[in-house]
Amino acid sequence: MSIKLTVEHLRLICTHAESTYPHECCGLLLGKLSQNDKILVEAIATENVWNPTAAADFQAIDPNLNLGTEKNTYYTIAPEVMLKVQKEARDRQLDIIGIYHSHPNHPAIPSEFDRLCGWQTYSYIIVSVLQGKAGDVLSWSLDDNHQFQPEEIVVERLI
């Protein structure tokens, strides 16, 4: 499985990641699923609404987690934004095919928290942002054992 996107999509994601540094950015990926790949149609930047309330809510996933309250190590998307974008996607015959976010001053590798909260059908594009500049951009998807596996990013030109 791979995810196909354009240079413009990559630019938008990286610009968003740099603009929120040192906090994590986040956004939704709208597109189409085919048998062998996901085709990104639109990347939608969203607000990172991580706060102490969100940390407490997510703590219920695993009480052994020690979640911080800072946006530089966690992100979440408001449920009402997810629902709104999901409706808009459905109206356009698209699907939410994934989520992107950044890792300020850390590699573009999913965290254990990313794994615990991940959904198997989604692609997870992660941008490493070092000292405010976007670096590696990697995509991941969960396998049947709920473990992240690298996913090929295919960058296509606009026609």
Side-chain angles (χ1 to χ4, degrees):
M1 185 72 76
S2 64
I3 183 164
K4 294 181 178 177
L5 46 83
T6 65
V7 171
E8 288 74 20
H9 292 134
L10 272 178
R11 187 173 301 128
L12 181 145
I13 292 168
C14 289
T15 299
H16 186 206
E18 290 174 350
S19 72
T20 62
Y21 181 87
H23 297 146
E24 290 196 11
C25 75
C26 52
L28 295 167
L29 306 171
L30 300 187
K32 296 183 181 255
L33 297 170
S34 73
Q35 193 164 13
N36 297 321
D37 53 27
K38 300 167 189 165
I39 301 167
L40 180 61
V41 173
E42 184 177 3
I44 299 175
T46 62
E47 180 184 357
N48 178 358
V49 295
W50 189 262
N51 59 32
T53 302
D57 290 345
F58 279 91
Q59 190 73 45
I61 294 171
D62 183 346
N64 295 320
L65 292 172
N66 185 18
L67 300 177
T69 60
E70 300 298 322
K71 291 182 180 180
N72 60 345
T73 50
Y74 297 95
Y75 78 92
T76 191
I77 299 170
E80 60 271 17
V81 171
M82 287 288 292
L83 289 173
K84 179 179 178 259
V85 172
Q86 193 170 38
K87 181 181 181 321
E88 290 171 2
R90 189 176 47 241
D91 290 347
R92 296 169 58 195
Q93 284 84 48
L94 298 173
D95 295 302
I96 296 176
I97 61 171
I99 293 175
Y100 73 86
H101 72 281
S102 61
H103 281 179
N105 298 324
H106 288 282
I109 297 171
S111 67
E112 178 62 7
F113 182 71
D114 293 335
R115 189 186 70 78
L116 289 172
C117 296
W119 296 341
Q120 280 189 315
T121 57
Y122 279 11
S123 291
Y124 289 88
I125 294 177
I126 301 175
V127 181
S128 175
V129 183
L130 302 175
Q131 303 305 316
K133 294 290 181 196
D136 290 338
V137 178
L138 301 175
S139 187
W140 305 85
S141 61
L142 288 164
D143 64 18
D144 291 339
N145 296 316
H146 209 75
Q147 300 298 313
F148 274 112
Q149 300 300 321
E151 182 178 64
E152 181 183 16
I153 295 176
V154 178
V155 180
E156 298 182 325
R157 293 180 178 194
L158 286 178
I159 298 174

